Amino acid sequence: MSPRAEMGIVLLAICALLVTTVFVGTRWREKTGGLGQVPPPAPEYARRIVALRDEDYDLVLRGGARVNGMGATWPFASLLVSRDQIELRVQILMPIRIARAEVIGLRRVRGPFSYGFKFRTESGRLDKVSFWVPGKAANQLAELGWH
């Protein structure tokens, strides 16, 4: 086989890889909302979310978070908790507001140095969201009705 034919095959393989990457990336963004983004809540839950000031929340936890492929280590994420809603703030990302009615439960996950939480919902909107906090935050969340 001539060197020109070999170069043509290599270029064809690179082009095929690029097209596949663009296609998969586009489909992934359509499905997930994009890197570090989550889909908006359903209208019935969005109506329950109100804009609260920081001092209106009952509990503020500082830790790390992972949001749809984008990670932030401690102290660049905070979880503001009230009885009716949670707001997850990750530096450089839009805040994620979660109505209590939307969450059917919290699932504890173990990391190398601490425990984390994943929010379980029927819609799966928050499947790729987790918050990692040092200490015993599970008891504090349970006191506010988040199990």
Side-chain angles (χ1 to χ4, degrees), residues 39 102 119-128:
E102 180 181 13
F119 302 95
R120 294 184 339 189
T121 61
E122 288 183 16
S123 68
R125 174 177 92 94
L126 303 171
D127 284 352
K128 303 231 183 237

Side-chain angles (χ1 to χ4, degrees), residues 38-120:
V38 295
E44 65 265 19
Y45 302 123
R47 285 191 290 272
R48 297 175 186 221
I49 297 173
V50 295
L52 295 176
R53 296 174 299 169
D54 290 359
E55 55 269 9
D56 293 334
Y57 287 99
D58 300 316
L59 175 65
V60 177
L61 300 170
R62 187 161 299 279
R66 189 140 184 92
V67 179
N68 201 11
M70 186 87 137
T73 61
W74 183 92
F76 298 111
S78 56
L79 193 70
L80 291 84
V81 184
S82 74
R83 291 193 180 278
D84 299 323
Q85 73 183 40
I86 282 181
E87 183 173 335
L88 175 60
R89 294 182 185 165
V90 180
Q91 201 167 24
I92 76 165
L93 296 178
M94 294 294 294
I96 300 167
R97 292 190 177 112
I98 306 163
R100 176 66 190 100
E102 180 181 13
V103 176
I104 57 174
L106 293 178
R107 183 171 58 109
R108 286 186 68 178
V109 291
R110 181 149 169 71
F113 303 110
S114 64
Y115 287 97
F117 299 95
K118 286 186 151 291
F119 302 95
R120 294 184 339 189

Side-chain angles (χ1 to χ4, degrees), residues 17-37:
L17 181 63
L18 286 172
V19 169
T20 303
T21 303
V22 168
F23 177 74
V24 168
T26 302
R27 296 288 295 164
W28 182 73
R29 277 191 299 278
E30 288 173 3
K31 184 177 180 183
T32 63
L35 188 65
Q37 302 294 316

